[in-house]
Amino acid sequence: IENKALNAAAASLTKLSKEHGRDPRLFLLGTQLALASGNLDGALASARRAYDLAPRWHVAQIHLGEVFAKAGKESEALAMAELAIDQVRQIGNDPNAQAQLLRKGAGIAQQFSNHALASRWLEHVLELIPGDLTLRNDFARSLTYAGNPKKAVAILSELLGQQPDHQGLLLNRLRA
C-alpha cells in the first residue's frame, strides 16, 4: 500500500480475507487501501467492519474515529476517540498506548477546532511523557486556541528558556 502497488495489495488482501475473514486487522488494512485509492466510502465501510468485529479493541475504535474525521463526521469521530481512550485507560498498564491514543484523539479534536478537548487530552499525554518538547509546544498551541493564552505563554516561555532560538516556539508565544 505504501509503495502504491494498490492492485497487488488488493489481491493479497482478498486472498487473506478468504482465509481469515473475521480478523479485524485485515479490515484495518482494507481501510488504508481504500484511502490510498481515494475511496472514502470504502474506507468507512472497512473501518466499520473492523470495529464491528472487535468493538472493544481500542485500535479499531481510534481507527474508525480517524476515518470518521476524514469524512468530516465530527460527533462520530470524537465519540470513537473518546471510546478508545476510555478503553485503554481501563486497561491502564501501557502508558505508551495511552499516550498514542490521546495524541490521536487530540489530533481529531483539533481537526474540528475543539481545542478545549484537545488540550485536555494533550495534558494527559504530558502526564505520561512530561519531557516531550513537541508535545508541550502542541499543548501550548491548543491552550491558545482554547482561550487560555496565559498558561500557553508560561509553557512557551519555559520552552524558550531551553531553546531560545527556536523559531516555532517564538512564533507560538507571539500568537498566544
Side-chain angles (χ1 to χ4, degrees):
I1 296 172
E2 287 182 23
N3 294 329
K4 303 295 181 202
L6 301 182
N7 289 334
S12 295
L13 201 53
T14 299
K15 181 180 176 186
L16 284 170
S17 68
K18 288 178 182 174
E19 298 170 19
H20 307 284
R22 302 211 34 89
D23 187 338
R25 296 172 300 180
L26 293 177
F27 293 93
L28 296 180
L29 287 171
T31 303
Q32 291 176 347
L33 179 62
L35 288 172
S37 65
N39 181 357
L40 186 56
D41 289 338
L44 271 169
S46 192
R48 280 187 173 123
R49 181 71 175 133
Y51 173 74
D52 289 344
L53 288 170
R56 299 181 65 89
W57 186 35
H58 63 276
V59 175
Q61 294 164 344
I62 196 68
H63 191 75
L64 180 55
E66 290 173 319
V67 177
F68 276 140
K70 288 181 190 313
K73 297 176 180 283
E74 180 178 1
S75 61
E76 295 93 334
L78 292 173
M80 277 294 124
E82 187 87 48
L83 186 63
I85 289 166
D86 289 345
Q87 185 73 26
V88 108
R89 282 185 183 152
Q90 289 175 13
I91 297 167
N93 62 355
D94 187 353
N96 290 329
Q98 287 182 26
Q100 184 180 29
L101 280 172
L102 285 161
R103 276 185 144 161
K104 286 181 177 187
I108 291 169
Q110 287 170 335
Q111 180 177 332
F112 293 108
S113 298
N114 190 334
H115 298 289
L117 182 58
S119 296
R120 191 174 83 226
W121 284 341
L122 289 171
E123 190 166 30
H124 288 302
V125 180
L126 281 170
E127 292 168 4
L128 299 167
I129 310 170
D132 187 316
L133 175 107
T134 302
L135 177 60
R136 291 175 70 201
N137 185 32
D138 289 347
F139 176 53
R141 194 172 50 245
S142 274
L143 286 170
T144 299
Y145 294 127
N148 193 347
K150 187 176 181 179
K151 188 172 182 179
V153 167
I155 291 168
L156 292 164
S157 295
E158 180 184 332
L159 292 174
L160 281 165
Q162 298 168 17
Q163 294 189 1
D165 296 327
H166 192 289
Q167 296 299 311
L169 294 174
L170 288 166
L171 181 60
N172 284 339
R173 187 175 69 178
L174 179 63
R175 285 182 183 142

